[in-house]
Amino acid sequence: MGQSPSASGRDENQNDIDSFWSNNGEEVIQKKKNFFSRFNSTSNSNSRNDQHSDSYWSANETEASTSSSLSKLRTRKNRASSTFNKVNYNIKDFKKFKHFDRITSLIVNENKIYTSSIDGTICCWNKNTGECLNVLQGHCHIVTCIYLHNNFLYSTSYDRSIKCWDLNTNECIYTLKDNDNWINTITVNDEYVCIAGYDCNITIYDNQTNKKIAKLHGHTKKIEYLYLDNDTLLYSLSSDNTIRCWDIHSLECIKTYTLLDSSYFIQKYDNLLFVSQLQQVVCLNKDFLPFVGISNFTIVDDFMIGWNKEKQQFEIYNILNRQLIYTKKENILNANHLHYDSQSNKLFYVSGVTVKYLSLNLSQFEKNQNVENLNVIYLKYKELFNYFEHVLFYPTNKIVNFIETLDNELARLTFDEQVKLIVDKYHINYKINFTITIDTPSNTLVEDLSNLPIIDNSQQPLINDNNIVTKSVDDTMEMKREDFEVKCSYFYKQLNQLKDNEVLQPTVLLVRREELVFDACKHFSILKGKDLMKPMYIFFAGEQALDIGGVTREFYHLLSNQILNVNNALFLNTGINNTYHINPSSMINNDHLQYFTFIGKLIGKAIFDMQIMDLHFTRVIFKCIIGKPIQFEDLEYVDPSMYYSLLKLLNIENVEQLMEMNFTVELNDFGFNNCVELLPNGNDILVNDENKYQYVELYAKWKLIESIKLQLEKLLEGIYEVIPKHLLSIFTENELELLLCGSNEINIKEWKEYTEYDSLLVDNSFIDMFFEMLEDFNQIQLSLLLQFVTGTSCLPNDGFSALNPPFTICALRNEDINFLPVAHTCFNRIDMPLYTSKEMMKERFLKAISYNGAQGFNIY
């Protein structure tokens, strides 16, 4: 193990501290003994000896930790364990030196147990007696995770450091501090130390030299857990609903799994990978139904031991035949960090601030013995379960309740009849749950954002003939119903009429490649009004290239890449479809509002000059540009995991008891959590069944608009200074993206080759009909369809083969054929009724991809 210079060095004042404790330590300790002895004698009448004894020893533990020279004083911790021995039932609290706050991690070794806590300490316990042997202190913030490897204990903390402790001496031998953000998880082998957290990246250190050797990018939200498989594959679980598999040696992502919910823990059984989510355990690489209800689990031999929070019980499943074989009720709120110790036949787990165990002999459940299987009804209805979970996105615990209640009736019905029975019985309206309105005079928040005084085009006409401008406004509503090609022709005709002889003088920009964004922003800040309509020529400093079109195209291309660079903190990558949204924390860049005005002008200029920019923003931004209302479903494009979490929240009963949420939201501002109240005194208002709809409305408005309002205003200000808003409003958001970003050439044969299908689609003629319909589409229509399904008209460099998740078609067998197809962009999936003809299918799809949408916020 390598050791940094700081590991052996001492603070300048350390010698003075040691000198003080060597001369006065015993006197200080004796005074504290006298104080606590008086305190305990006063408390004896109230029968609280154990509590004050714990307080006494905790105080002395803190005192002793101030100097390594007082290690000899720690022998006083050999106290009588009478309180512990009085517990004569299976579950026992490890009460000695218990943490002051929630335990965050648990490791069970041969003879010891290690725990970390929010209180910033790490405790070592005797596994047999429950006595605290050592307290490791050194972190100045929450200790988030600990990992044991080769008798070295690694700890991570929100103080952005990693500490390595030698368990023979109980001393920290080195500390790594050069990390970018709060660390949430760690995994270690002989070669590497891998850590991850809130910065969405995985940092890898050499375990011999302690040098940082790589940073792996790919996730868009904080990473919850890292798992190293056979020292070759690294799995990362993120809040962005994805799990990535990395080759630890080549440092490349070799596979990405996309799920419906965030995952928190992963464990391997043979070649199967199981991950825990909020209410279930799912298998990544096999078509298993999930283990519903289990939130935390551990796998031992052929058994999965899990904690069912809703039923407050431990459950044991035989993984081979997927049967529930044992349950054990416990009167606790939750059980985390489950670990089965085969030596003592105990299941250790964490409950709040304590470690507990359950005596459990798994030998009685051996697969060669006749163990009575408990009935798990939902396993008999795989197709029905998958339909409600993956097509209707219904909470799995509710699906199980439906099936268990109606089992006798469902057994006699066909699949279609089963779906109809449940939908009718429980009044499931999965099309429209409710509508959210926005409190503005026009009922359109985007209108208020875009009608800024300095860009009031109606009072500052850009041409002498006011009739032309008035006519274009009058034609707007009629033009919205035209095809994209007709709209483009009308749009550029109106832009040409905005020019006059005065604007023919060109604008020349001299920029440096190494300071491209800064130089371009400086030049554009000078350009106002008609100056932005002049022809523009670009020259790069030190280069002799003459701009006859190619240099300008390169200028826009380079700016597109640099503007979206996350290091500029202006935009955030929202996920799998490579779209970008405004960063709510962009104020970390002092000039961020000036840059957003520049970006707006640049976008307007690019559209005006018919130039292409690779700025694939989220649908929310494009809707704001054209002045179209924002809907709740747009949250799926910005934060898909939160979108589905809010949908599930609406279907949960007794929200106040289960979730413990209030009317606030936390904004992670580069490592610091800022609490934003959605209502006045929102921190004191709990979310319950009555106000959960209001909470969803306020959260969506804050996430989509309020959190980025200042930046969005400046972006729109810059765009409308070049192009009047009423001209842009004739386009849909998808058409505007095509206008700005262009369209890719789409190969239908490749599209078909890399398309996956729902198991319900057994009729190949329906699939053939879909691709025959695509043959009739032109490239613009194909791009709009691709954008409708995936959220963007651009494909990865390797085409459809690199689309992740792959393009998928699902059938809605119980839907009226008059319904339009429904897209789920974060899964690259389209759901459609079983249309009876190609003509009907084509008509429905063309209507869907050109649909302007309803007014206001809608939840579907």
Side-chain angles (χ1 to χ4, degrees), residues 542-564:
E543 301 179 18
Q544 299 180 356
L546 181 63
D547 185 10
I548 56 176
V551 179
T552 297
R553 286 194 295 271
E554 184 183 11
F555 171 76
Y556 281 110
H557 172 71
L558 295 176
L559 277 177
S560 299
N561 294 334
Q562 295 189 26
I563 286 170
L564 299 179

Side-chain angles (χ1 to χ4, degrees), residues 683-701:
N683 196 43
D684 301 323
I685 304 175
L686 294 179
V687 179
N688 53 42
D689 290 342
E690 295 180 359
N691 62 22
K692 62 183 178 182
Y693 290 90
Q694 182 187 17
Y695 171 79
V696 170
E697 172 187 354
L698 294 174
Y699 182 91
K701 288 168 62 177

Side-chain angles (χ1 to χ4, degrees), residues 91-132:
I91 296 183
K92 303 179 181 180
D93 289 358
F94 279 63
K95 291 185 176 180
K96 307 301 180 181
F97 288 87
K98 72 177 183 181
H99 291 288
F100 300 118
D101 212 329
R102 179 171 58 86
I103 294 176
T104 58
S105 191
L106 168 72
I107 293 177
V108 179
N109 201 3
E110 292 182 0
N111 300 311
K112 298 177 183 178
I113 292 177
Y114 297 91
T115 56
S116 62
S117 170
I118 289 179
D119 62 19
T121 63
I122 303 168
C123 286
C124 173
W125 316 83
N126 185 304
K127 188 172 70 174
N128 299 316
T129 66
E131 181 183 5
C132 182

